[in-house]
Amino acid sequence: MKKISSSLQFKIMVCAIFLIILSSFPIGIASYIKSVKIVESKFAFSHLHTVKQIASSLELITNDIKEASLYFIQSGDLRQLLKSNLETDQQELEKARVHVNDFLTYLVGEKPYIHSIYIIGKNNTIFDTYGIKDQTLNLSNINVQSFEWYPNVITSRAGILTYVISLVRPIRDINNFKNLIGYLEINIDEKSLFEEVIRLSSNFSENFVICNQNYFILSSTDKTLIGKNLAKMISTKPMENFEQGFFYTKLSGKTFLVTYSTIKPLGWKVVSFVEKEGLVAENRAIQSYLFITILLALFAASIFLVFFQNRILYPLKQLRILIDNISNQNFDVYMQPKGNDEVSKLIQAFNSMSAKLNELMNQVYIATIKQKEAELKALQERINPHFLYNTLDTIYWTARLEGAKKACILVEALSKLFRSILANKSNIITVKEEIEHLDSYILIQKVRYQDLIEFSLNVQSQALCFKTVKLVLQPIVENAIYHGIEKSGKKGKISIEVFTKDEKLYFIVSDTGAGAPKEVFESALKNDSPNGKIGLKNVNDRIKLAFGNEYGIKIESTPGLGTKVTVIQPALKEGDLK
C-alpha cells in the first residue's frame, strides 16, 4: 500500500482528482448558491405579484361596498324612514320602505360576496336582509365617526354561523349633520370573498390572511385564525416600513417565506405564507445537475489519466525499474526510447548516463578498492617477512639461552604481532584474530609502561566468530596511549569492549587520558596519519569502503577527562560476506 501511495501514477491521479474537485466544487457551490437565490427571489416575486393581484381585487370589492354604502347614506327614502315618528304620513313611509327594500334585495342579489345588510335607526327602524337572530349593532356601544371594518360572526335565526367582514357606517341627518339617525352594516361573506379573490387572482395556492390596519385577521385560508392578531404570531415590523415586499420568518419552528401587499385606502394587508421547504424542489434539481457535472468531470479525468498513464507514466515506470537495477549495482541496462518528447529525451539521457556510469564504475570503483588495498599492502611489505621472522627467532633463542625470560616473552609477543599483520593478506578477518593481535600488542605495552597504564579487555564470546576489518583495534588503542594517557602525564586506564547488538558489531575503546577538543578528532578523521602510520582516518575509510557509509568511527571526548571511540560494523559471519 505504501509503495502504491508513493508512486508517481498515484500522486498524479490524486492531484488530478483534487484539482477537479477543487475547481468544480467552489464553482458548483457558488453556482448553486446563486441559483438558489435566483430561484427563491423569482419565487418570492411571483408570489408578491399574486398577493398584489389579491390586494387589487380586494380594493375593487371594498370600494364597491363603500360606494353602495354611500347610496344608503345619501338616500332620502332611508333618511325619511329613520327620522319618522307616529306623526309621519304612513303612506309616504310605506312607499319609502318599498324603495329601500327593493334596493337592498337588488344589491344582495347582484353582489355574491355580500352576505347581508343590516340597518338600525335611532327610532328602532330595522332593515335585515338575512334574518339575524341577535342584533349585531348595539347603539349604545357604537362609536363610529366615519366607517369601520371588523371581523364578525353572524348567527341566523336558524342558528347558522357565518364568518363575515362587516362595514359599519353612521347615517346622519343631511340637514343637521351632527344629528345621528342610525347605522348601516354591510356584511361581506368571508367565504364568498375568499372565492371571489381566488377567482380574480391567477396561480394562487399558498396560505394567506387578510388583516386590517391593526393586524386583526379578517379572512384566512385557515378559518381558526379569523379574529386573531397577526402581530402576536409573527414579527410584523418589516411590513410597517414598506407597503409591499417579502421576508423570511419563523412560525411553529418552521421557516416561512412571507409576502405581503397593502390596500392603500384601507391600510389592510394581504399576507401569504409559503413554507421554505416547499421551495427546494427546484434547488434539488440544481443539486442533481451539479452532482452529474462533477461525475462527468471525474469520468473525463479518468479517461485522460488512462491516456496519460500509457503515454507518459508507463515509460517513466519502466525507467524507474531500470534505476532500481542501477542502485543494485546492475549498470548494464538500456531502454528503447519512443517518440521525440521530453520523456524520450529523458530516456536517451538515462541510456547515455548508465553506459558512462557502467564504464566509470569499472574504472574508478575498482581503482579505489585497489588503492586502499595497496596502502595496507605497502605497510605490510615495508618489512621483509622472512628476514623479520629469522631475526626475531634468533633473538628469542639467544634470550632464552641466557635466561632472559622477560625478553623471551616480549620477542614472542612481537613475533605474533608481526605474523598477524603480515601473514594474512586478506583485509577481512575474524574478531578472534583481531583480539589475538590486540593481546600481543597490549602485552608489549604492559611491559613498556608497567603500572602506568591499566588495560581492561571485555569481549562477548558470541562476537568472536563475526568478521571485522583487519587492524581496527590496535591503531585506536595506540592512539589512546600516545595521545591520551601519555599526554596526560599521569596513570590511566584503557578499556576495550567488543559485543554485538541489533545486528551490528561494536568495538568501544575508552581512556582516562588528556582528551581533546572535537575539532582535533574531526581533523584526524579527515587527514592521513603522519609518518605512514595507520591512523583513525585509515581505519574509518576502510570500514566505510568495506561496508558502506552508515558504518565507521564515532568519537566522544572531553578535554581533561578522556576519550571514547566507538567502531560500528555490520555483524557478519563468513557466509554473509559477498
Side-chain angles (χ1 to χ4, degrees):
M1 181 64 186
K2 184 177 180 181
K3 187 175 181 181
I4 294 174
S5 63
S6 62
S7 68
L8 182 61
Q9 178 181 350
F10 178 80
K11 290 177 180 177
I12 291 177
M13 180 182 68
V14 171
C15 184
I17 293 174
F18 175 75
L19 287 175
I20 292 171
I21 294 175
L22 188 65
S23 59
S24 299
F25 268 92
I27 295 173
I29 291 172
S31 301
Y32 172 73
I33 293 173
K34 185 68 176 177
S35 300
V36 167
K37 288 183 178 179
I38 293 173
V39 168
E40 291 182 356
S41 178
K42 181 181 176 182
F43 191 88
F45 277 108
S46 174
H47 279 247
L48 180 59
H49 178 71
T50 302
V51 169
K52 287 169 66 177
Q53 279 186 316
I54 295 174
S56 298
S57 300
L58 283 173
E59 187 174 350
L60 291 173
I61 292 173
T62 54
N63 285 338
D64 194 24
I65 297 297
K66 284 175 62 179
E67 289 178 3
S69 68
L70 283 174
Y71 171 81
F72 284 110
I73 292 173
Q74 297 171 359
S75 171
D77 291 332
L78 180 61
R79 285 198 306 274
Q80 182 181 3
L81 289 168
L82 296 180
K83 289 166 57 179
S84 66
N85 50 41
L86 296 176
E87 297 177 358
T88 307
D89 185 353
Q90 295 299 315
Q91 187 176 357
E92 290 293 329
L93 289 178
E94 187 60 31
K95 185 178 179 180
R97 185 180 296 277
V98 170
H99 288 164
V100 172
N101 278 327
D102 287 345
F103 184 72
L104 288 174
T105 303
Y106 164 77
L107 195 61
V108 172
E110 179 68 19
K111 309 293 182 183
Y113 43 82
I114 294 180
H115 173 269
S116 58
I117 300 175
Y118 184 81
I119 301 172
I120 184 171
K122 288 277 190 176
N123 59 2
N124 291 325
T125 299
I126 296 175
F127 290 92
D128 182 5
T129 63
Y130 185 66
I132 300 172
K133 181 179 181 181
D134 299 313
Q135 287 187 357
T136 60
L137 293 175
N138 189 331
L139 296 182
S140 62
N141 294 330
I142 294 176
N143 184 21
V144 179
Q145 299 301 320
S146 178
F147 65 90
E148 183 175 332
W149 295 89
Y150 68 96
N152 196 4
V153 179
I154 290 179
T155 305
S156 69
R157 289 190 175 90
I160 299 174
L161 297 177
T162 305
Y163 289 103
V164 297
I165 302 173
S166 300
L167 170 65
V168 179
R169 300 196 70 158
I171 304 174
R172 300 181 184 276
D173 187 354
I174 196 170
N175 297 319
N176 183 8
F177 198 71
K178 292 183 179 180
N179 182 25
L180 181 68
I181 59 176
Y183 285 94
L184 166 68
E185 180 185 81
I186 301 179
N187 300 310
I188 301 176
D189 189 342
E190 188 273 335
K191 181 179 179 182
S192 298
L193 176 67
F194 177 81
E195 292 174 351
E196 182 69 11
V197 166
I198 297 305
R199 185 184 67 80
L200 294 173
S201 305
S202 60
N203 301 324
F204 188 79
S205 59
E206 70 270 21
N207 295 324
F208 82 97
V209 299
I210 302 170
C211 58
N212 64 12
Q213 66 274 19
N214 298 319
Y215 297 104
F216 283 98
I217 297 174
L218 305 174
S219 178
S220 173
T221 49
D222 182 359
K223 305 306 178 186
T224 61
L225 299 179
I226 295 175
K228 294 183 179 180
N229 195 317
L230 183 63
K232 294 182 179 180
M233 300 166 57
I234 64 170
S235 173
T236 57
K237 190 173 181 180
M239 293 189 284
E240 295 172 3
N241 300 325
F242 302 98
E243 293 182 353
Q244 60 187 28
F246 57 86
F247 60 93
Y248 289 96
T249 189
K250 288 283 187 180
L251 182 62
S252 302
K254 297 180 180 180
T255 302
F256 284 82
L257 170 66
V258 179
T259 54
Y260 65 94
S261 182
T262 305
I263 304 174
K264 293 181 182 179
L266 301 176
W268 290 9
K269 295 188 184 298
V270 179
V271 185
S272 74
F273 296 86
V274 181
E275 192 175 346
K276 191 176 181 181
E277 190 66 26
L279 305 179
V280 301
E282 291 187 49
N283 297 341
R284 288 198 183 99
I286 296 173
Q287 285 179 333
S288 300
Y289 294 146
L290 175 62
F291 180 71
I292 291 171
T293 301
I294 293 175
L295 285 181
L296 290 174
L298 290 174
F299 178 73
S302 301
I303 295 175
F304 169 76
L305 285 174
V306 171
F307 169 78
F308 188 79
Q309 176 184 355
N310 294 332
R311 184 67 186 86
I312 305 296
L313 295 183
Y314 181 75
L316 291 178
K317 185 177 180 181
Q318 295 298 110
L319 189 61
R320 183 186 63 80
I321 294 173
L322 296 181
I323 292 173
D324 289 340
N325 290 338
I326 289 180
S327 66
N328 293 325
Q329 299 184 2
N330 178 15
F331 303 104
D332 188 15
V333 293
Y334 178 81
M335 182 175 178
Q336 181 65 41
K338 295 180 180 179
N340 197 32
D341 56 12
E342 287 80 359
V343 176
S344 299
K345 297 290 185 183
L346 180 63
I347 293 172
Q348 292 172 10
F350 170 78
N351 290 335
S352 176
M353 180 200 70
S354 62
K356 290 181 180 178
L357 188 60
N358 190 28
E359 182 181 352
L360 288 173
M361 286 304 297
N362 288 333
Q363 295 175 2
V364 178
Y365 185 70
I366 294 174
T368 303
I369 294 175
K370 288 182 177 180
Q371 181 182 352
K372 292 296 180 181
E373 292 176 347
E375 289 175 1
L376 184 60
K377 187 175 182 181
L379 284 173
Q380 294 172 336
E381 292 179 350
R382 284 180 181 176
I383 303 173
N384 189 308
H386 298 289
F387 172 76
L388 181 62
Y389 294 155
N390 292 335
T391 303
L392 289 175
D393 188 59
T394 301
I395 295 172
Y396 173 77
W397 285 106
T398 302
R400 190 169 183 179
L401 289 172
E402 293 178 354
K405 294 182 179 180
K406 200 169 188 179
C408 289
I409 294 172
L410 285 173
V411 171
E412 186 178 13
L414 183 61
S415 178
K416 289 181 179 179
L417 184 66
F418 280 110
R419 185 175 286 108
S420 64
I421 296 174
L422 302 175
N424 194 341
K425 300 297 182 180
S426 174
N427 189 40
I428 304 296
I429 61 174
T430 64
V431 173
K432 181 180 179 182
E433 291 173 318
E434 181 72 7
I435 296 301
E436 289 175 351
H437 172 79
L438 182 63
D439 282 338
S440 299
Y441 179 78
I442 290 176
L443 179 59
I444 295 172
Q445 297 301 336
K446 279 183 177 180
V447 173
R448 179 181 177 185
Y449 289 97
Q450 297 184 8
D451 296 333
L452 184 63
I453 301 175
E454 178 186 350
F455 292 94
S456 172
L457 181 60
N458 183 13
V459 181
Q460 185 185 58
S461 59
Q462 296 93 326
L464 293 173
C465 60
F466 287 96
K467 293 290 183 175
T468 176
V469 172
K470 186 178 182 180
L471 289 179
V472 172
L473 286 172
Q474 183 256 315
I476 297 174
V477 172
E478 183 178 353
N479 190 76
I481 293 172
Y482 295 123
H483 299 288
I485 305 299
E486 224 180 55
K487 193 173 182 180
S488 70
K490 58 182 181 180
K491 288 184 178 182
K493 181 178 180 180
I494 298 176
S495 301
I496 303 101
E497 293 181 77
V498 180
F499 60 91
T500 58
K501 182 181 178 182
D502 298 331
E503 298 184 352
K504 292 181 180 178
L505 175 64
Y506 290 88
F507 293 166
I508 299 177
V509 179
S510 306
D511 69 72
T512 59
K518 180 180 179 182
E519 294 77 14
V520 173
F521 288 103
E522 287 179 350
S523 177
L525 289 174
K526 292 180 181 178
N527 302 312
D528 290 318
S529 178
N531 303 322
K533 293 182 179 179
I534 302 178
L536 295 178
K537 180 180 184 301
N538 182 282
V539 174
N540 191 48
D541 288 349
R542 287 188 291 116
I543 291 173
K544 290 184 180 296
L545 184 63
F547 302 120
N549 289 328
E550 65 268 32
Y551 302 102
I553 294 177
K554 294 182 180 179
I555 302 175
E556 302 170 48
S557 182
T558 304
L561 296 179
T563 302
K564 177 181 176 183
V565 179
T566 302
V567 181
I568 305 174
Q569 302 177 80
L572 301 176
K573 294 184 179 180
E574 183 67 35
D576 299 325
L577 293 174
K578 294 183 181 179

